[in-house]
Amino acid sequence: MDAPVRSVISPGRYVQGPGAIARLGEYLSAIGQTPLVVADDVVWGFVGHDVEASLTRAGMTATRETFHGIPSAGEIDRLTAVIRNTGADVAVAVGGGSTIDAVKASGYLAGIRWVSVPTVASTDAPTSALAVVYTDEGVFEEYRFFPRNPDLVLVDSQLVANAPATFLAAGVGDALATWLEARATAASGSLTMAGGTATLTGTALARLSWDVLWENALMAMDAARDHVVTPALEKVIEANTLLSGLGFESGGLAAAHAVHNGLTAAPQTHGLAHGQKVNIGSITQLVLEGAPSAEIEDFIEFTTRVGLPTTLTEIGLRPEDTEEIRAVARAATVEGETIHSMPFAVRAEDVAAALTSIERLGRRVRERAGLPEPQPYRHAH
């Protein structure tokens, strides 16, 4: 048996700043000449003109394809066929994490290069060499891994500021989990998504993401609500996108994301952002670890102030929904799930108990901190 190796992977180039979208063509011209730009109709409505103008200045024509909403196997195969039919040599994802994951997967299948242009800072998907694939109903199905990361990640921080602040909050929820999971992975010596054990680099970047967010997230949320770019917002965009992306991939995933994946099995949670469900996973992981009560309570208070769910009520569940919670726990602990990177064995029964317990815990912390009562979430469909 070969000795384990340590590995860190990253995108070819990361670009961030207000107005960066105007330079997309400049950076893209070094990667390909016949791009296929994939975006949903909402995103294209507010950024399509800028994308087309930038590519025109670089001497390229923007061929645009509509993304249909869920990175399912069927949608990925459809986009792969479009890439082949258009003869594109680079696929450009413009939008959120779902669009980006679908483009990474289809670009890989079509044998071309791919680029991420996130218009929100809601997940760490833009930088990674993997895609999260769901069923057509939005239930987690699998991770797909690719031999390389995107060649370019370009983030226009003014576009991020213009988006609803709830997207930024979701990104904070996703990114805060990075350190919690990286430290658990380092303790267990488990493999990371980069194909080896954790590097000092991956773990340090995960910790840096955590530190940046605790220092800047509340001020960044204020800036996002006012749709302005401030130094705090720039730092949080980088933490949500680059630091968290490198940190999760080369530092490791553990219980928080496994619980997120399990939650997709509960229809009541559909419609929630990835990072909202990850935040519930982070609290569940802290409970599973038996973390100091002050650490758990501080995390709940802070993420409530950011605008993230910290109770079952806010993700459409109740403690008495025992069958749904058991189903979530079973899905979170299937063979191969990242929960098995925890430095101790975790059973479905453990997850169910920890998940059930956060309702009273969250309510108690919020009441003590003078924070509002949790509002019930109901999926529109």
Side-chain angles (χ1 to χ4, degrees):
M1 183 177 177
D2 293 335
V5 297
R6 300 177 186 275
S7 179
V8 61
I9 54 178
S10 67
R13 183 185 292 268
Y14 181 85
V15 177
Q16 177 185 317
I21 196 75
R23 301 184 64 180
L24 175 61
E26 170 193 338
Y27 288 107
L28 198 56
S29 62
I31 300 169
Q33 293 301 312
T34 53
L36 177 72
V37 182
V38 180
D40 64 37
D41 290 337
V42 173
V43 166
W44 195 249
F46 65 77
V47 80
H49 173 77
D50 291 335
V51 170
E52 289 177 331
S54 180
L55 296 189
T56 299
R57 282 195 298 273
M60 291 183 281
T61 300
T63 302
R64 182 245 170 166
E65 178 63 28
T66 302
F67 174 61
H68 291 162
I70 294 177
S72 64
E75 177 68 355
I76 290 165
D77 289 344
R78 185 187 71 81
L79 290 173
T80 303
V82 172
I83 290 170
R84 288 173 174 153
N85 290 339
T86 58
D89 60 3
V90 57
V92 183
V94 182
S98 293
T99 306
I100 289 167
D101 277 358
V103 166
K104 282 187 284 190
S106 56
Y108 169 70
L109 289 174
I112 65 168
R113 301 169 85 176
W114 55 86
V115 165
S116 302
V117 184
T119 53
V120 290
S122 61
T123 76
D124 46 25
T127 66
S128 75
L130 67 87
V132 186
V133 179
Y134 297 87
T135 66
D136 291 333
E137 293 72 38
V139 177
F140 171 78
E141 189 166 76
E142 63 176 343
Y143 289 112
R144 290 193 189 180
F145 298 91
F146 313 119
R148 66 182 189 279
N149 300 67
D151 289 280
L152 168 69
V153 178
L154 184 142
V155 191
D156 188 321
S157 42
Q158 186 61 60
L159 283 178
V160 174
N162 293 346
T166 51
F167 286 112
L168 188 71
V172 172
D174 193 22
L176 283 170
T178 309
W179 168 240
L180 298 179
E181 294 182 289
R183 73 182 186 186
T185 302
S188 67
S190 299
L191 296 180
T192 72
M193 300 295 190
T197 55
T199 56
L200 293 174
T201 302
T203 305
L205 291 175
R207 179 60 200 242
L208 179 58
S209 175
W210 172 271
D211 291 343
V212 168
L213 292 170
W214 277 82
E215 180 65 26
N216 295 280
L218 296 180
M219 288 188 294
M221 288 301 301
D222 290 337
R225 293 182 186 105
D226 291 330
H227 306 301
V228 294
V229 177
T230 64
L233 180 63
E234 290 279 20
K235 290 174 184 176
V236 168
I237 291 170
E238 184 177 343
N240 284 7
T241 311
L242 181 62
L243 294 177
S244 178
L246 297 175
F248 99 77
E249 195 163 35
S250 296
L253 294 179
H257 272 79
V259 171
H260 161 275
N261 295 342
L263 286 168
T264 66
Q268 297 96 318
T269 71
H270 290 184
L272 288 163
H274 172 84
Q276 291 176 309
K277 287 180 280 193
V278 169
N279 202 60
I280 295 298
S282 292
I283 299 169
T284 305
Q285 176 172 324
L286 288 167
V287 172
L288 284 167
E289 290 173 330
S293 59
E295 183 179 354
I296 301 175
E297 290 168 5
D298 286 349
F299 186 88
I300 290 172
E301 181 177 341
F302 178 66
T303 55
T304 300
R305 293 187 187 279
V306 168
L308 289 160
T310 54
T311 61
L312 295 181
T313 295
E314 294 163 293
I315 60 167
L317 292 170
R318 303 167 302 165
E320 54 267 33
D321 293 333
T322 52
E323 286 307 310
E324 288 90 342
I325 289 172
R326 284 174 184 158
V328 169
R330 287 194 297 271
T333 53
V334 296
E335 185 178 353
E337 250 305 350
T338 57
I339 204 163
H340 303 299
S341 293
M342 295 297 288
F344 49 84
V346 183
R347 305 170 304 157
E349 295 90 332
D350 303 323
V351 175
L355 194 55
T356 301
S357 76
I358 72 170
E359 181 71 21
R360 290 184 189 273
L361 175 59
R363 286 180 178 271
R364 177 170 56 77
V365 171
R366 293 163 75 122
E367 184 178 3
R368 187 204 65 196
L371 294 166
E373 285 239 339
Q375 296 302 303
Y377 171 74
R378 291 184 178 84
H379 180 36
H381 302 296

